[in-house]
Amino acid sequence: MMQITCPWCGPRDQREFRCGGEAHIKRPADPASTDEAAWADYVFMRTNPKGTHRELWNHVHGCRRWFNMARDTVSDRILAVYAIGEPPFDPDAAPATSEGAAQ
Amino acid sequence: MVEMDARRRSALAPLKLAPATADPAGVRLSELAHLGKVNLRFDSADQDAVAALEALGIQLPGEVNGVVAADRRVLWLGPDEWLIVTAPGEEGAVLQQASQALAGRHHALTDLTDNYTTIRVAGPSAEALLAKGCPLDLHGSVFPAGRVAQSLIGAVDMILECLVDGAGGRMFLIFVRRSFAQYTWDWLADGALEFGLTIEV
Ligand SMILES: [Zn+2]
């Protein structure tokens, strides 16, 4: 099990959270002029990296707020927890935090 | 005290709970039926609105997971969300006065009085009982009296509040949705058997 630091509530057990999949997926600005391949890419295609993955999480059994999280898919180490609307976490730019690291 | 409709039934009424006494009683359970509960959402950066609520005896906790103990108790639920807990029957006045105070501002006031019931868990083994099915760190140094958290008990979402019980002791209030109330009570009563269970009705 992991401990995840909710940006609002603080460190909580993983059981209180649900993952909402990859973060920073942008809806095409003009769906009408988006071709099928680009639309399919938006709807279905996700990265599946070995390493840093940026994800949406919801504190579903707590404050019910959404937030972003960067997680290393190899070690399960949580690299960053940050607010919706912030730019995607860049592992090369930010120092890794120990908060919420896999227990 | 506001007069209440005699037909109103508590969420645990169908269990037909009878008083029970264990000696020693590690856990004491009771239902606090019909406490007034009003969910409040607004932007607390609006100082005028905060002051208007304070004039009504609704004071927001200054810290995350905090509680302001008063006749109108305010529990932190989220960055823009609180639960106001009152004596039974007082929720109507809170709703009416607070919506007046917040008129013209973006806000939501929702009467959750009958959406939730409240179960009080007291006694020296209260923490040990909750720890069986709650992932929170319930140690007194982390979750002392005056704290609140939303979490799980068994399979159920709850709001858990910690209160003072006697000299230095703690007791807990569990707010659960009405349709989960019987499950929650049964879960607590079953888990409390090994500690000795007293039921106060
Ligand atoms: Zn939270």
Side-chain angles (χ1 to χ4, degrees):
Chain A
M1 295 295 278
M2 293 195 294
Q3 209 175 53
I4 296 171
T5 299
C6 169
W8 303 110
C9 305
R12 295 292 188 88
D13 189 273
Q14 177 189 351
R15 255 197 299 163
E16 294 185 6
F17 298 85
R18 192 162 299 157
C19 182
E22 186 175 357
H24 309 295
I25 304 289
K26 279 208 171 62
R27 190 173 197 268
D30 183 12
S33 68
T34 303
D35 67 37
E36 279 184 17
W39 191 255
D41 186 60
Y42 156 66
V43 175
F44 298 112
M45 302 309 284
R46 299 291 180 264
T47 61
N48 185 23
K50 183 178 182 181
T52 304
H53 194 218
R54 296 156 199 89
E55 300 166 333
L56 283 167
W57 284 76
N58 185 269
H59 192 188
V60 64
H61 298 296
C63 65
R64 295 177 299 282
R65 266 59 175 185
W66 286 95
F67 58 91
N68 289 314
M69 185 163 111
R71 182 177 62 91
D72 189 310
T73 57
V74 178
S75 64
D76 239 359
R77 187 179 178 81
I78 296 169
L79 305 168
V81 165
Y82 55 106
I84 297 291
E86 283 187 40
F89 171 78
D90 178 356
D92 299 324
T97 64
S98 59
E99 271 196 310
Q103 301 290 303
Chain B
M1 182 89 185
V2 180
E3 205 172 309
M4 256 192 298
D5 191 325
R7 292 167 299 180
R8 203 169 174 198
R9 276 157 44 100
S10 85
L12 293 178
L15 290 181
K16 299 186 168 52
L17 294 170
T21 310
D23 188 22
V27 173
R28 302 192 316 273
L29 288 181
S30 55
E31 182 188 20
L32 306 184
H34 308 309
L35 289 178
K37 304 167 206 83
V38 176
N39 183 279
L40 164 66
R41 299 196 65 173
F42 79 112
D43 180 359
S44 63
D46 182 345
Q47 288 302 318
D48 292 343
V50 171
L53 289 171
E54 256 172 46
L56 302 174
I58 299 167
Q59 201 193 333
L60 304 183
E63 52 176 4
V64 161
N65 293 317
V67 177
V68 172
D71 287 349
R72 294 174 168 179
R73 213 158 73 248
V74 183
L75 281 53
W76 185 94
L77 297 183
D80 57 5
E81 187 174 6
W82 297 266
L83 187 70
I84 306 167
V85 181
T86 73
E90 300 295 332
E91 64 276 7
V94 166
L95 274 168
Q96 191 237 329
Q97 295 167 14
S99 58
Q100 239 166 43
L102 296 173
R105 292 181 165 90
H106 186 62
H107 74 279
L109 282 158
T110 313
D111 186 355
L112 299 181
T113 299
D114 293 316
N115 180 45
Y116 283 102
T117 194
T118 310
I119 298 171
R120 183 171 61 196
V121 186
S125 298
E127 180 188 333
L129 167 60
L130 295 179
K132 290 186 185 188
C134 171
L136 289 174
D137 186 347
L138 296 168
H139 191 268
S141 64
V142 179
F143 199 68
R147 304 293 284 172
V148 65
Q150 297 183 87
S151 187
L152 293 159
I153 184 77
V156 169
D157 284 356
M158 68 162 171
I159 300 170
L160 181 68
E161 184 189 0
C162 184
L163 297 166
V164 175
D165 186 18
R170 291 183 303 158
M171 63 179 176
F172 301 90
L173 298 188
I174 297 178
F175 298 79
V176 284
R177 291 186 178 84
R178 189 180 184 93
S179 52
F180 294 116
Q182 294 184 36
Y183 164 89
T184 308
W185 178 277
D186 287 342
W187 191 97
L188 291 166
D190 181 56
L193 284 178
E194 65 168 302
F195 304 115
L197 171 61
T198 284
I199 296 175
E200 297 160 334
V201 177

